[in-house]
């Protein structure tokens, strides 16, 4: 056993209550049944089959209130894999569900048999015709696709609030629309073509001129069946008219029967039916969208009304004035949004009934925006608005920051309100539409119905299109609460259909919670056509049974998940999945959502259960060890859940007393440790240059086994050599700032073979050139930002170093009168923010007086205006670090780069490199996975420079790309050198 092995059982849940009724049963502890696992491993390869109980549990939850545990998870790499799984399922009478982002709100991404992950290997965007069209793979997020299109002044029509995480396969399969799409810009209207795999394995590219001919040969009965339903609908004018009328407002309930009216051939009909089919008719392997102009000239307002009906009454006025978006947020939503960063705190004091409309106009040019502002002003003059708190302006603005803040609050509806729900309650998100002219009436009726059933729901939605969302919270473990929810749903569905002739699902698609009410909305004739459509295309009912069609009237009450209490930092999580695309470990082990999902299942289990033991066995590596700890999940989460912080706490729990003492001793004697580390790096560099890389790998491998694989790093081939023993000589007299070279830049040198100064020499030289000299204290040796201990959960060592750092910085800066300039972004973040919880009360007061400035910000804001650019390079690619994202400093990095290069590129897939100090050396597979997409972009072309702002991140990118990254300040020094 390694000397410092983590304590087994340290992560065993504390204060566990009675076992939950929906806990995973003991017979599932072994994971996938052996026969099924063996079959699929032989068919696809063992690496594509996830079978452990922890794998099954982490895929069992999505953003919906449901939870179904699959028998096995398959990670498909290509269409061949998908076809093989479908063929196997047919032969074995099994069921298949496809899952991409798992942001669906109605359980569409869950299955009880074979679940196929079609996110991991399915991303990619190809811009066509100068941006007029885009070919997109189904695992690509809306945000990523729009980033590629923005360079061409184009954008996709669908714009769901979950664009940061939802993928285009799911958007099309659910016909998701969003803030502005309505019925004219949604997937059904803007999809040019798609490639699909039918349940039989037949592949159809609807853009292929020969597609109908080939489909008729491969699937003759399918073609006959589709054309037969088309003729039947067209022969009944009343039915055809009813279908058309149902889609005049937003509607995603059931299959798109208007596809039979819009399509003239089986392939054209299939293309329409696949939109909104929720994975029940086939797998969408590729889509081609017709894009829309990206109008960049905006004017927006957040307007406050005394009540929801009053706000709804104003919606038609803005529609008539040409607003592109009119979004509604009720008082519960506004108050809950206070948890979102940037939302005014005084919204918490808004009166109960206060409601706001977020109104936006967009135009292609300045003249168009001025005309929009004129029309908006005319509407404003007719409204009776309220300003119950000081932050309310009730005015239109052009300010991008203000507009972004409005949208951030609106898009956080589900997560912010869900995060504020009572602990232990399940969240239901409902989505319906009524004719826009009856929105005010529908709002009043909805509020009355909620009150009648004891719900105080939050309401928001796309008011311009008569589309409202509301959230309900109840305890799925209490039969009485479930019965209350069931009674409300029955009454709500009858109200929507019988009083308003509305859509029970406007944009979230039918899903498990609306499938039993399908016939209520559509009637028996149309509903039977949908069942026939399913049987024609999927006669064996292989694909996603019970997701869209279900004759069980209580199907929406089956599989409701309980939400057991977990650690406070993670307890508000509603499992929305917004965090997943930012997570460095998403493709190698688990995501933040999955870490929380697994923790909740531990809480459901009784002590000592075999399922609990299986989850604990896997959790150490899958969740704790391979978390980069970068906390980018906190940035993506609308309510700021920091799963990285939770994993650091878990690391601390796993430490034994011996490991904590060693870490504290290292902090107390860090000057010696620092010198030893520099000497070790120098020695290793010498050995490596003499052909001893294999020897170094062997030595570190032995040490990892002897001490701990999570403490001793592996030797990697591109580790830089040692830094100079002595820092540049500077003077305190006349200095305008204190320069703190981070310990990483005191231990490691710059890029191999690169002529020129070291980073400390460059910072000193640049500051001198700008007439703003800096001073390096002689006693910086032995100090550190404490991130080394913080990232590993060594609390005692963290406290020692955090307090030493602040005391030293306070003295160096003359009590905060001079700024402290730090030359590594992670260290800037550490000193500015992360040390605070570990400080004594006295040192917290000292820290409040410090001004901590990242060296790149120092250069961009203070030095650049005083420097002369003498030479530039052609192109530079940037790697913004996750610490810079937390600090909001990425703009400064771009500004410095743009001063040095004629072209500056930030890869669309840039993200955390997961090197995380030394974690990339502890777990190289983590960095390799995290950087794969960014590295592919970087290596697809040649750049003159590869720039970043943190030495270890630069090393991580060196490893990933084979290119040499260096600090943007080294490039600036070269550009301004006399």
């Amino acid at each position: 056993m390694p000397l410092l092995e983590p304590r087994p059982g340290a992560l065993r849940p504390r204060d566990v209550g009675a076992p939950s009724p929906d806990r995973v049963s003991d017979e599932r502890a072994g994971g996938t049944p052996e026969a099924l696992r063996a079959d699929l491993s032989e068919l696809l390869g063992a690496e594509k089959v996830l079978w452990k109980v922890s794998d099954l549990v982490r895929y069992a939850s999505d953003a919906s209130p449901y939870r179904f545990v699959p028998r096995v998870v398959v990670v498909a790499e290509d269409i061949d894999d998908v076809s093989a799984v479908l063929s196997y399922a047919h032969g074995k009478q099994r069921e298949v569900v496809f899952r991409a982002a798992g942001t669906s709100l109605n359980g569409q991404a869950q299955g009880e048999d074979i679940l196929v992950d079609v996110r991991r290997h399915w991303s990619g965007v190809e811009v066509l015709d100068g941006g007029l069209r885009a070919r997109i793979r189904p695992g690509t997020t809306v945000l990523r696709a729009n980033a590629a299109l923005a360079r061409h002044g184009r954008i996709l029509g669908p714009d769901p609030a979950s664009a940061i995480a939802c993928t285009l396969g799911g958007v099309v399969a659910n016909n998701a629309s969003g803030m502005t799409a309505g019925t004219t810009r949604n997937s059904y209207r803007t999809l040019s073509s798609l490639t699909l795999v039918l349940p039989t394995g037949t592949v159809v590219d609807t853009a292929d001129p020969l597609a109908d001919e080939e489909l008729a040969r491969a699937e003759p009965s399918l073609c006959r069946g589709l054309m037969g339903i088309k003729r039947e609908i067209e022969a009944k004018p009343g039915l055809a008219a009813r279908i058309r009328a149902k889609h005049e407002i937003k509607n995603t309930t059931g299959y798109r029967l208007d596809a039979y009216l819009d399509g003239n051939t089986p392939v054209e009909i299939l293309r329409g039916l696949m939109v909104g089919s929720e994975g029940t008719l086939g797998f969408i392997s590729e889509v081609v969208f017709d894009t829309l102009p990206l109008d960049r000239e905006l004017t927006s307002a957040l307007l406050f009304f005394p009540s929801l009906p009053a706000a709804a009454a104003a919606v038609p006025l803005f529609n008539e004035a040409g607003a592109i978006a009119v979004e509604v947020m009720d008082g519960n939503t506004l108050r809950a949004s206070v948890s979102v960063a940037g939302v005014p705190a005084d919204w918490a004091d808004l009166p109960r009934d206060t409601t706001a409309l977020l109104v936006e106009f967009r135009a292609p040019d300045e003249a168009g925006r001025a005309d929009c502002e004129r029309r908006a002003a005319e509407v404003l003059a007719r409204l009776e608005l309220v300003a119950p708190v000081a932050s309310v302006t009730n005015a239109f603005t052009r300010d991008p920051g203000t507009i972004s803040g409005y949208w951030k609050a609106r898009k956080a509806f589900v997560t912010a309100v869900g995060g504020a729900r009572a602990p232990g309650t399940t969240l239901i998100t409902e989505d319906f539409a009524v004719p826009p002219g009856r929105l005010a009436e529908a709002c009043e009726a909805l509020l009355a119905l909620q009150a009648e059933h004891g719900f105080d729901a939050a309401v928001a939605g796309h008011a311009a299109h008569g589309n409202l969302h509301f959230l309900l919270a109840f305890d799925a473990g209490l039969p009485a609460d479930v019965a209350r929810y069931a009674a409300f749903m029955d009454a709500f569905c009858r109200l929507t259909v019988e009083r308003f002739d509305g859509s029970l699902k406007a944009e979230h698609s039918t899903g498990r919670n609306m499938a039993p009410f399908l016939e209520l909305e559509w009637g028996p004739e149309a509903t039977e056509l949908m069942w026939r459509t399913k049987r024609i295309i999927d006669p064996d009912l292989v694909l996603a049974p019970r997701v869209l069609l279900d004759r069980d009237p209580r199907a929406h009450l089956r599989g409701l998940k309980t939400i057991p209490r977990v650690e406070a930092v993670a307890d508000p999580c509603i499992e929305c999945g917004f965090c997943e695309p930012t997570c460095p470990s998403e493709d190698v082990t688990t995501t933040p959502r999955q870490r929380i999902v697994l923790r909740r299942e531990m809480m459901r289990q009784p002590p000592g259960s075999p399922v609990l033991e299986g989850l604990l066995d896997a959790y150490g590596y899958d969740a704790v060890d391979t978390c980069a700890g970068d906390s980018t999940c906190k940035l993506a989460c609308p309510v700021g859940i920091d799963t990285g912080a939770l994993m650091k706490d878990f690391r601390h729990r796993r430490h034994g007393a011996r490991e904590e003492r060693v870490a504290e001793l290292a902090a107390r004697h860090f000057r010696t440790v620092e010198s030893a580390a520099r000497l070790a790096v120098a020695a290793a560099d010498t050995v490596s240059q003499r052909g001893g890389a294999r020897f170094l790998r062997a030595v570190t491998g032995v040490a990892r086994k002897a001490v701990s694989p999570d403490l001793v790093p592996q030797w990697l081939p591109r580790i830089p050599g040692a830094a100079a023993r002595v820092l540049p000589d500077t003077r305190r007299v006349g200095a305008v700032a204190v320069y703190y070279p981070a310990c990483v830049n005191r231990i490691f040198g710059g890029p191999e073979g690169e002529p020129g100064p070291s980073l400390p020499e460059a910072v000193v030289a640049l500051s001198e050139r700008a007439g703003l000299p800096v001073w390096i204290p002689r006693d910086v040796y032995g100090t550190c930002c404490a991130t080394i201990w913080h990232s590993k959960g060594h609390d005692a060592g963290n406290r020692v170093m955090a307090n030493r750092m602040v005391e030293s910085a306070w003295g160096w800066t003359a009590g905060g009168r001079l700024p402290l300039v730090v030359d590594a972004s992670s260290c800037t973040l550490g000193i500015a923010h992360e040390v605070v919880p570990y400080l004594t009360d006295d040192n917290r007061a000292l820290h409040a007086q410090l001004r901590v400035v990242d060296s790149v910000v120092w250069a961009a804001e203070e030095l650049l205006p005083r420097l002369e650019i003498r030479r530039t390079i052609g192109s530079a690619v940037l790697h913004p670090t996750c610490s810079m994202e937390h600090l909001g400093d990425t703009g400064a990095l771009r500004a410095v780069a743009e001063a040095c290069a004629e072209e500056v590129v930030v890869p669309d897939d840039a993200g955390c490199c997961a090197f995380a100090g030394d974690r990339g050396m502890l777990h190289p597979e983590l960095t390799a996975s995290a950087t794969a997409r960014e590295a592919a972009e970087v290596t697809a072309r040649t750049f003159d420079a590869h720039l970043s702002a943190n030495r270890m991140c630069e090393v991580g990118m060196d490893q990933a790309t084979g290119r040499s990254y260096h600090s943007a300040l080294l490039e600036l020094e070269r550009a301004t050198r006399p």
Side-chain angles (χ1 to χ4, degrees):
M1 177 181 290
L3 184 65
L4 300 178
E5 180 77 359
R7 289 186 300 152
L11 301 185
R12 198 170 296 280
R14 307 166 182 173
D15 304 321
V16 178
S20 297
D22 63 334
R23 69 186 181 277
V24 176
S25 60
D26 289 352
E27 57 265 26
R28 303 294 301 273
T32 300
E34 181 58 37
L36 177 59
R37 175 186 168 193
D39 284 351
L40 291 174
S41 295
E42 183 179 357
L43 183 68
L44 304 168
E47 72 282 358
K48 298 177 184 178
V49 180
L50 304 181
W51 60 272
K52 294 184 300 183
V53 67
S54 59
D55 296 324
L56 308 184
V57 168
R58 65 188 172 98
Y59 275 93
S61 293
D62 60 9
S64 78
Y66 298 99
R67 196 171 79 106
F68 293 98
V69 182
R71 288 287 172 182
V72 67
V73 177
V74 170
V75 182
E77 288 190 7
D78 51 33
I79 284 183
D80 289 343
D81 285 348
V82 172
S83 296
V85 169
L86 292 175
S87 177
Y88 175 82
H90 270 288
K92 299 288 186 177
Q93 290 80 54
R94 306 202 73 105
E95 301 169 358
V96 175
V97 170
F98 298 109
R99 176 183 175 127
T103 56
S104 298
L105 296 168
N106 301 312
Q108 297 99 311
Q110 296 180 39
E112 299 171 79
D113 196 4
I114 301 174
L115 187 70
V116 183
D117 181 325
V118 289
R119 178 199 57 81
R120 185 178 302 184
H121 299 291
W122 297 84
S123 65
V125 183
E126 180 186 1
V127 177
L128 306 172
D129 303 332
L132 296 179
R133 297 187 304 141
R135 187 186 310 278
I136 310 171
R137 303 195 76 204
T140 309
T141 65
V142 175
L143 184 70
R144 174 65 177 83
N146 279 334
L149 287 168
R151 300 191 192 94
H152 303 271
R154 307 291 293 184
I155 194 171
L156 295 175
D159 62 340
S162 57
I164 187 176
C166 69
T167 57
L168 267 300
V171 167
V172 175
N174 289 294
N175 197 21
S177 49
M179 316 293 175
T180 66
T183 58
T184 59
R185 297 161 59 106
N186 60 17
S187 296
Y188 189 81
R189 298 300 177 193
T190 61
L191 187 69
S192 173
S193 67
L194 55 78
T195 301
L196 65 131
V197 184
L198 291 168
T200 56
T202 299
V203 178
V204 181
D205 177 359
T206 66
D208 186 344
L210 300 178
D212 273 298
E213 180 181 329
E214 293 173 355
L215 184 63
R217 281 198 299 268
E219 307 276 354
S221 61
L222 182 150
C223 293
R224 287 193 300 270
L226 295 182
M227 295 306 291
I229 292 180
K230 174 180 173 62
R231 288 190 295 270
E232 186 175 330
I233 293 174
E234 290 176 336
K236 298 178 179 179
L239 176 60
R242 178 61 178 160
I243 292 170
R244 290 295 191 196
K246 287 294 292 177
H247 289 289
E248 288 178 0
I249 62 173
K250 294 176 70 172
N251 191 325
T252 59
T253 313
Y255 293 128
R256 291 281 314 212
L257 292 180
D258 55 344
Y260 288 107
L261 300 172
D262 296 329
N264 295 314
T265 70
V267 167
E268 290 177 1
I269 293 170
L270 264 181
R271 173 222 159 282
L273 285 171
M274 290 298 295
V275 179
S277 63
E278 304 175 57
T280 64
L281 301 180
F283 168 62
I284 300 171
S285 66
E286 184 179 86
V287 294
V288 177
F289 272 96
D290 293 322
T291 65
L292 301 170
L294 175 57
D295 292 335
R296 301 179 189 270
E297 304 301 324
L298 312 180
T299 182
S300 306
L302 194 61
L303 308 175
F304 286 75
F305 296 79
S307 68
L308 183 58
V315 172
L317 302 179
F318 285 110
N319 283 346
E320 293 167 8
I324 187 69
V326 185
E327 297 290 302
V328 65
M329 294 181 279
D330 78 339
N332 285 341
T333 301
L334 293 167
R335 287 185 292 273
S337 296
V338 171
S339 63
V340 179
V343 169
D346 62 6
W347 284 15
D349 302 321
L350 287 168
R352 174 183 174 82
D353 294 332
T354 303
T355 301
L357 291 182
L358 171 51
V359 183
E360 183 162 290
F361 292 81
R362 299 178 189 171
D365 52 35
E366 176 56 35
R369 176 160 62 179
D371 184 55
C372 289
E373 289 171 332
R374 177 188 58 77
R375 286 181 270 124
E378 291 174 355
V379 175
L380 273 184
R382 301 164 59 185
L383 302 178
E384 294 185 10
L385 303 174
V386 296
V389 294
S391 66
V392 172
T393 63
N394 286 328
F396 277 85
T397 179
R398 296 180 170 194
D399 179 62
T402 302
I403 294 172
S404 175
Y406 290 161
W407 281 109
K408 188 175 182 181
R410 167 60 188 93
K411 292 180 178 181
F413 165 62
V414 173
T415 44
V417 176
R421 76 196 187 283
T425 56
T426 297
L427 190 69
I428 299 282
T429 306
E430 289 304 337
D431 157 52
F432 73 108
V434 299
R438 300 187 68 185
L439 182 64
E441 181 187 354
C443 287
E444 289 187 281
L446 175 62
L447 293 175
L449 190 65
Q450 290 171 355
E452 178 185 340
H453 290 269
F455 288 109
D456 185 19
V459 179
H462 317 307
H465 310 293
N467 177 196
L468 291 181
H469 307 311
F470 61 92
L471 302 180
L472 306 175
F474 65 94
D475 190 337
L478 297 178
D481 243 17
V482 174
R484 181 167 63 102
Y485 164 66
F488 173 83
M489 282 298 295
D490 287 343
F492 162 70
C493 291
R494 288 196 305 272
L495 173 74
T496 302
V497 172
E498 295 170 2
R499 179 170 170 181
F500 295 101
D501 194 19
S503 306
L504 293 175
K505 283 297 178 186
E507 63 176 2
H508 293 168
S509 222
T510 314
R512 296 178 183 272
N513 66 330
M514 208 52 72
F517 302 98
L518 183 64
E519 188 168 328
L520 173 66
E521 176 175 339
W522 277 97
E525 183 177 24
T527 303
E528 184 55 35
L529 290 177
M530 295 181 189
W531 277 98
R532 283 172 55 193
T533 297
K534 171 69 170 173
R535 287 192 290 266
I536 288 168
I537 298 174
D538 183 19
D540 295 329
L541 303 182
V542 167
L543 288 180
R546 298 176 296 282
V547 164
L548 189 150
L549 297 171
D550 199 324
R551 298 194 192 276
D552 179 0
R554 294 180 60 81
H556 59 303
L557 306 179
R558 176 175 170 267
L560 290 169
K561 65 184 173 188
T562 60
I563 305 292
R565 298 286 297 272
V566 292
E567 284 74 11
V569 67
D571 197 56
C573 176
I574 63 166
E575 302 174 8
C576 67
F578 282 23
C579 55
E580 293 191 337
T582 70
C583 179
S585 60
E586 67 166 339
D587 287 340
V588 69
T589 50
T590 58
T591 68
R593 170 170 61 177
Q594 292 175 338
R595 290 175 168 96
I596 295 170
V597 163
L598 289 166
R599 193 64 178 165
R600 283 178 170 159
E601 182 57 35
M602 294 180 198
M603 298 296 183
R604 293 187 183 99
Q605 293 291 325
S609 81
V611 171
L612 175 60
E613 297 307 312
L615 296 178
L616 286 169
D617 285 346
Y619 202 76
Y621 175 76
D622 287 352
V624 181
D625 294 345
T626 51
C627 173
D630 64 320
S631 294
T632 52
C633 50
K634 178 181 179 180
L635 297 177
C637 176
V639 292
I641 294 173
D642 189 348
T643 313
L646 178 62
M647 294 303 107
K648 291 170 189 174
D649 178 59
F650 285 167
R651 288 170 189 166
H652 174 67
R653 292 190 202 179
R654 295 196 306 165
H655 296 158
R658 178 191 296 172
E659 185 175 341
E660 280 292 298
R661 284 196 301 271
V662 170
E664 182 179 4
L665 190 65
R668 293 191 182 281
H669 300 280
F670 188 63
R671 181 160 188 156
T672 301
V673 172
E674 179 185 336
S675 297
R678 189 187 312 108
L679 288 171
V681 170
D685 186 49
T686 300
V687 172
S688 180
Q689 289 183 10
R690 294 178 179 177
R694 180 179 299 178
F695 169 75
L696 291 170
R697 284 195 296 271
V699 169
T700 56
V702 171
R704 284 164 61 82
K705 291 179 181 178
V707 180
S708 169
D710 208 48
L711 285 176
V712 178
Q714 295 184 37
W715 178 259
L716 298 177
R718 297 181 70 90
I719 294 296
R725 291 182 60 254
V726 180
L727 291 166
D729 188 33
T730 56
R731 298 181 59 193
R732 183 168 192 169
V733 176
V736 299
V738 176
Y739 170 32
Y740 181 71
C743 66
V744 67
N745 293 319
R746 305 193 305 261
I747 294 172
F748 291 102
E752 288 290 325
E754 293 277 344
S758 66
L759 179 58
E761 289 169 340
V763 173
V764 170
L766 284 166
S767 300
E768 286 283 354
R769 275 176 215 158
L772 299 174
V774 295
W775 171 60
I776 303 175
R778 292 184 182 276
D779 58 344
V780 295
Y781 301 104
T783 63
C784 173
C785 66
T787 300
I788 295 171
W789 293 269
H790 178 62
S791 67
K792 297 181 184 300
H794 291 300
D795 286 4
N798 197 358
R799 280 191 293 272
V800 168
M801 187 54 73
N803 284 282
R804 180 191 301 169
M805 181 70 232
V806 169
E807 291 166 4
S808 298
W810 194 81
W812 297 332
T813 62
R817 284 192 288 273
L818 296 178
L820 183 73
V821 177
V822 184
D823 66 1
S825 58
S826 60
C827 302
T828 307
L829 179 66
I831 298 171
H833 300 287
E834 292 178 343
V835 299
V836 174
Y838 300 90
L839 300 176
T840 64
D841 290 342
D842 288 345
N843 283 342
R844 196 170 288 131
L846 299 184
H847 182 274
Q849 302 175 54
L850 297 178
R851 288 181 291 154
V852 183
V853 181
D854 190 78
S855 57
V856 174
V857 175
W858 169 253
E861 296 181 356
E862 303 296 337
L863 305 186
L864 264 181
R866 297 174 171 87
L867 291 170
E868 179 185 354
I869 303 298
R870 297 173 179 271
R871 61 192 66 81
T872 59
I873 56 176
S875 62
V877 63
L878 304 187
H879 174 71
T881 70
C882 51
S883 298
M884 301 193 86
E885 296 285 353
H886 282 285
L887 293 164
D889 291 347
T890 54
L893 179 63
R894 179 180 278 276
V896 170
E898 287 176 344
C900 304
E902 296 173 12
E903 179 194 13
V904 173
V905 173
V906 177
D908 289 334
D909 285 312
C912 176
C913 67
F915 211 77
D918 66 351
R919 194 141 298 267
M921 292 186 282
L922 299 170
H923 299 288
E925 71 278 13
L926 177 60
T927 289
S929 177
T931 56
R933 293 191 180 98
E934 181 178 357
E937 283 190 73
V938 170
T939 56
R941 57 164 288 190
T942 300
F943 293 97
D944 296 318
H946 300 74
L947 308 178
S948 191
N950 187 293
R951 189 70 191 105
M952 299 318 290
C953 295
E954 292 157 15
V955 173
M957 292 306 297
D958 289 355
Q959 298 286 340
T961 64
R963 310 295 196 263
S964 180
Y965 277 74
H966 58 268
S967 170
L969 299 188
L970 291 176
E971 198 62 40
L972 182 62
E973 191 282 327
R974 191 199 70 82
T976 60
R977 192 182 304 162

